[in-house]
Amino acid sequence: MNEGKNETNGRTAEETVVSRTTLFVQHAIVNLCRLVVAVTFIVSGFVKAIDPLGTQYKIEDYAAAVGIMQPAGSLATLGLSVALSAVEFSLGVLLLFAIHRRVVSRITAVFMAIMTIITLWLWIAEPVKDCGCFGDAIHISNAQTLMKNIVLLASAVIVAWRPLQMVRFISRSNQWIVINYTVLFIVGVSIYCLYMLPLFDFRPYHIGADIKKGMEMPPGEKGPEFETTFIMEKDGERREFSLDNYPDSTWTFIDSKTVQVSEGYVPPIHDFSVVMQPDGVDVTEDLLANKDYTFLLVSPQLEKADDSNFGDIDRIYEYATGNGMNFIGLTASSDEAISRWRDITGAEYDFGITDGTTLKTMIRSNPGLFLLKEGRVIGKWSHNDLPDPASQEFKALIKNGIDNGNFDTAKKVVKVVIWFVIPLFLLTLADRLWAWSSIVRNTRKKNKLYKLLKKKKMRKKIVAGNWKMNLNLQEGVALAKELNEALTAEKPNCDVIICTPFIHLASVAQAIDQNVLALGAENCADKEKGAYTGEVSAEMVKSTGAQYVIIGHSERRSYYAETPEILKEKVLLALKNGLKVIFCIGESLEEREANKQNEVVKAELEGSVFNLSEEDFRKIIIAYEPIWAIGTGKTATSDQAEEIHAYIRSIIAEKYGKAVAEDTSILYGGSCKASNAPELFAKPDIDGGLIGGAALKAADFRGIIDAWK
Ligand code: PGA
């Protein structure tokens, strides 16, 4: 190991720091790119969605440029317009929230790649002047669009390269709400704006705009400049001339070409004019100068205009004429279309001709109503939302002639915030709070679990053998030696004890290393010493070198009538002589069937060991052995055993406190074998086993010991 380079997972400390820094930088870059792309998509999707017709016109410009179709007003291009804005907006929101990170980032990158190819073509071939990326809100040149898209494409690729580094704002379980709400919202916005008018009007004819001002050339600005070249011929020789060196009449004119040499300033409104039909009088100036109100019924294509609201239109026409105001229809359509409209709707108003694109720019409704005063836009309405001349609102508008466009804009922004931003914000907030609280809950749970595991770890894990009345001395010593050797060679993960018949104790104690394999007796007398023929006292047990003694085994309770009082004495004597006690408790089959197991074990503990001081009780190991499982091959299920072990621990806690209960080892006994030990020992309140039959063969016993591995 090099100095200053601690190896962790095959990496040096320096490498770890470097890779952490790299990861941090990567994280920051990916999330920055994600924000840039998300915000751009949201803005451009939204400004397209609020003006579906404008977006449709742009799509049709593109379609015409590549010669695919001439589909003015077609449903397909309108559908495409709504879909495009919805996809763009939704991708932006999904990226912002980091929803379905992999698939969304890939789709975004592909989307940007396609857009970049289109803008490359725009830049090279200039089929349309303005890409329409941001509707009418922001106009950028084709070169700027290309630059913008290259940056966005690079950002989208970076995000798609490491999508999982996007920080989530919402948990997976709530993502569907954001997805559905976003799609519903944006499609809803498009439909609303189609039915009414664009929510926000970025065009030069917005409410409050002064058309006259919009047509002015600011002082010092120049318009676009054009240069014409003339191709002339004389005596078979062709040459090019400009206006400055135009030759004399000996030259014959062949051809001329005019090119724009400088962009210059084009006023926002440059082709607004009204020529009345059928007399051809240009009334543009009068109309813009008129100090009274002028209503303009604007219909770019009268043949396609919606005539369903003609009643409302007539009511306004009557109001206008009744109050000495002008009412003019404006269209780019033919006389024929005008007379057809008159036939259908009974229109009595005059029509003027205006450029079709100008009319489409003026209002996104066919027809739509415009209210002008001295060239200023006072009001705009879709044919679906025409004002009622009798309403207070309309009267106030006519009275004040006020441009409330700015006020309206603020109100609309608030509406969008209330309908979209706030619900998603609240959802995110609730989601994050929930996520945070569940992290706290989990941490607490983990802590609890950790503490439990630690407690269990702190408690002694024990596998004890109870040889009962089996094996003669030689066999017993041989088994003890075999076990001792095996456990010396491979250290067990628990304490191992063998409890043998009395006569084995001294010899076995000589044969084993009790640091590896501890020794205990299966019983001891309830008397200290004296004339008790055939009995073996606790002191005698201790003198053999044994450290443990089993007391209260069910076989002794039932075959030798050992009562709780007798057992109580035995326990006291064992402890007095420095022996640790493995105290057995457990219910019979009848008691279990009568569901009395808890009562039984409680009474057994109370009868023989709950009299002890805390200090003495700490020297007791409890062995729960359901009598119906001992030597029968029937084991309590691990859940059954765990249930009663937990109960035993709880009553110890009641008696001696939680700390003592947590430190007391509670073993399970009764047909415990290598095959079922792992499942039993995995339970939090089972700390090992007291093994009868399976303790008589070294291999079987070791199998159980290995369950702790
Ligand atoms: P068993 O005996 O493992 O043979 O069922 C257990 C015991 O009596 O301690």
Side-chain angles (χ1 to χ4, degrees), residues 655-674:
K655 174 75 188 167
Y656 292 102
K658 226 173 161 196
V660 176
E662 290 298 346
D663 291 347
T664 304
S665 298
I666 306 176
L667 314 183
Y668 170 80
S671 300
C672 185
K673 315 182 266 286

Side-chain angles (χ1 to χ4, degrees), residues 466 468 553-555 625 629-633 669-672 690-694:
N466 173 13
K468 305 191 180 179
H553 193 280
S554 62
E555 285 150 13
E625 298 198 311
I630 296 175
T632 58
S671 300
C672 185
L690 179 58
I691 320 299

Side-chain angles (χ1 to χ4, degrees), residues 333-351:
S333 298
S334 61
D335 288 348
E336 239 180 300
I338 295 173
S339 32
R340 235 189 103 243
W341 177 259
R342 288 207 166 107
D343 287 347
I344 299 168
T345 64
E348 290 169 15
Y349 37 86
D350 292 333
F351 270 92

